[in-house]
Amino acid sequence: MPATASSRITRLRFLLRASLRGPHVLAFLPALALGSFWIGGEGFLLAVTLAVPVLLAASGGIELPSSMGAVLTRNPNFIDTHGAISMSDDALGRARASSMYTACILIDIDGIEILEERFGDTTVQSARDLMLARLRTPLRKKDRAVRIGDTRFMVLLGPALRLDLESLLQITSRLQSVLEEPASIRGTTQYMTATLGFCSSVRLPDAAAGRDMFEAAGAALSDALANGPSAIRAWTDSIKAARIARQSLRIEAARALENGQIQAWYQPQICTSTGRVSGAEALARWIHPERGVIAPHNFLEILEEDGRMPRLGEVVLSQALNELHSWDKAGIDVPRVSVNFSMSELRNPKLVELLKWEIDRFELTPQRLGIEVLETVIAQTKDCIVVRNVAALAKLGCFVDLDDFGTGHASITSLRRFAISRLKIDRSFITRVDRDEDQRRMIAAILSMADRLGLETLAEGVESVGEHALLAQLGCDHVQGFGIARPMPADQLVTWIKAHNARIAEAPRLGRRSS
């Protein structure tokens, strides 16, 4: 467009805004209202009457009363995801109109949530305001920074001629340094960590929209968070490929859960006194028709993000109880099957009734079912529903196993409060226990505490004969791990148990060390 034409349009816009500025423009509102009623009836009349003052105010034509302005703008420092995408669209449009570039930077602050537990909501809001003020300090006037979540912030850079990887890394590093400076809050020094992910419009296709830039920055931030605190990641082709693959896996996982591809496999647990099978843990495995067996860490997180963990729990529980019933009919002695329960399942107010129905359906007793609850759940939960459910299941007769014991800092009071039956000692304490004196002392202390509290013990992650033998000598009640058997389908477990029983009938038993 020629410069003269552009300048004429600019002057015309200026004159139009000037002519509409001021409350006198509302003198035309009755005429507009009457015309709108004649054209479209009452609905159109109402829309025009309410919309005109707001549109004029948004364009700077009139100033609304401060109270009305507050209602319209809400909190100018906080926007939701929809607003963030709209802002990204605007930033991308302004940059392209100037033949320049922009970038979206997403930041996650670690340390704010801890303040809520210690000081309450008011202090947390002050901390958020402080982080936002710090974030805006090094930015230019045309850059924008807002909060988009409890601990998440967004920066949109104004149009720039050069936004390559090197310059963006410098910008993000500078932002991170400012955010991570010590903060004085309620008379104490607090240290926050900032993790950042960003995407420049340079790396986006010409047809990309603001949503694409925002989601690409979000994917980069997710990658940064997966790599530890204070990480910075840029949107790259590898992240793009991983994101596409993850989305494909997400769709497939949802289907697999309903079409029977996700199945319960079983890992046997051995009694150290008798050497016989004392139970089996049911573990989810995805049997993909093309990729084979997909490990749990590749799909459990996806199912949790999609809110499908309760459905997975139903599938595994039903299969496990069905197999236990089948083993009883076949004369295969498996005293108990244990099933992992997620936090979302434990929050279900109908959980106890559901389990009662499932146990009765397969003609079993509650004592045949073990409920595995992570120690982190026990240590951190304040949810009364979770406490009531676990207590009710224990009262029903189910065995409650505290999984990954030693990683969640559960107190002795918590062990009593949740009616724990058995401690599953985390594998980190078991590794090299037969060769590491410090590990041995730690295990001895755990076993001594469990004995005094009247709790059974199970060591998970046993990978060698030496570890198995020493744990038996120290008094650990049960063992489980790859050194004994890997998880396997139900039919293979039957074969394994028959072979195992035949071996222990012929071999000397692993005994405990006499006191």
Side-chain angles (χ1 to χ4, degrees), residues 25-26 28-29 32 47-59 62:
V25 296
L26 295 180
F28 295 99
L29 186 57
L32 287 172
V48 170
T49 306
L50 293 177
V52 168
V54 174
L55 290 173
L56 289 171
S59 65
I62 61 172

Side-chain angles (χ1 to χ4, degrees), residues 183-483:
S184 178
I185 297 175
R186 296 283 292 269
T188 62
T189 301
Q190 302 292 330
Y191 296 91
M192 314 280 186
T193 57
T195 305
L196 298 89
F198 63 88
C199 175
S200 169
S201 60
V202 176
R203 302 194 66 88
L204 296 174
D206 293 338
R211 176 184 291 274
D212 300 311
M213 185 169 67
F214 178 77
E215 292 181 350
L221 178 60
S222 297
D223 189 63
L225 289 168
N227 283 274
S230 293
I232 298 176
R233 290 292 184 274
W235 168 254
T236 61
D237 290 339
S238 60
I239 294 179
K240 179 181 178 180
R243 182 186 174 203
I244 293 172
R246 186 177 179 83
Q247 185 60 28
S248 174
L249 196 67
R250 185 184 303 277
I251 296 170
E252 288 190 75
R255 293 173 182 165
L257 191 57
E258 301 304 328
N259 64 19
Q261 289 181 15
I262 296 181
Q263 304 171 4
W265 282 23
Y266 305 89
Q267 188 172 35
Q269 300 164 342
I270 302 298
C271 174
T272 56
S273 295
T274 65
R276 302 189 71 86
V277 173
S278 57
E281 181 181 2
L283 300 162
R285 292 293 184 271
W286 182 358
I287 317 302
H288 195 281
E290 298 174 359
R291 306 180 197 178
V293 180
I294 298 179
H297 67 268
N298 288 327
F299 67 89
L300 288 183
E301 184 180 353
I302 290 175
L303 293 178
E304 186 170 8
E305 289 174 358
D306 289 351
R308 300 182 187 275
M309 290 302 286
R311 176 58 182 152
L312 175 65
E314 291 176 10
V315 169
V316 172
L317 176 67
S318 180
Q319 291 183 14
L321 294 179
N322 181 49
E323 294 299 345
L324 191 58
H325 178 72
S326 299
W327 295 331
D328 287 349
K329 279 189 164 184
I332 305 298
D333 184 22
V334 180
R336 185 190 312 164
V337 64
S338 299
V339 178
N340 294 275
F341 280 71
S342 66
M343 177 65 89
S344 55
E345 293 173 89
L346 293 172
R347 286 198 180 112
N348 182 0
K350 297 182 180 179
L351 176 64
V352 179
E353 288 77 7
L354 172 66
L355 289 189
K356 279 183 182 178
W357 187 85
E358 287 286 344
I359 291 169
D360 290 341
R361 183 162 73 98
F362 292 103
E363 302 175 347
L364 299 168
T365 62
Q367 290 76 17
R368 305 291 301 281
L369 176 63
I371 308 297
E372 297 209 4
V373 184
L374 288 171
E375 189 189 9
T376 50
V377 171
I378 298 295
Q380 298 173 7
T381 186
K382 298 178 183 177
D383 195 324
C384 292
I385 295 178
V386 173
V387 178
R388 285 200 301 267
N389 275 341
V390 176
L393 291 173
K395 187 177 181 180
L396 183 65
C398 299
F399 278 77
V400 181
D401 287 356
L402 188 59
D403 200 8
D404 292 348
F405 180 75
T407 63
H409 312 294
S411 64
I412 293 177
T413 304
S414 297
L415 301 182
R416 289 303 184 195
R417 183 181 176 214
F418 285 87
I420 301 300
S421 308
R422 180 168 66 177
L423 302 181
K424 287 191 70 176
I425 306 170
D426 186 69
R427 67 184 64 195
S428 61
F429 295 99
I430 305 303
T431 302
R432 298 173 60 86
V433 69
D434 56 328
R435 290 174 284 174
D436 189 319
E437 186 62 32
D438 290 338
Q439 290 282 76
R440 197 175 310 169
R441 283 195 290 266
M442 183 69 72
I443 289 295
I446 293 173
L447 295 176
S448 177
M449 180 196 70
D451 183 58
R452 290 177 181 273
L453 293 174
L455 302 175
E456 289 188 15
T457 51
L458 184 151
E460 56 182 343
V462 176
E463 296 190 355
S464 70
V465 174
E467 291 171 356
H468 184 173
L470 183 64
L471 288 164
Q473 292 172 2
L474 290 176
C476 185
D477 300 307
H478 309 270
V479 289
Q480 170 185 350
F482 286 0

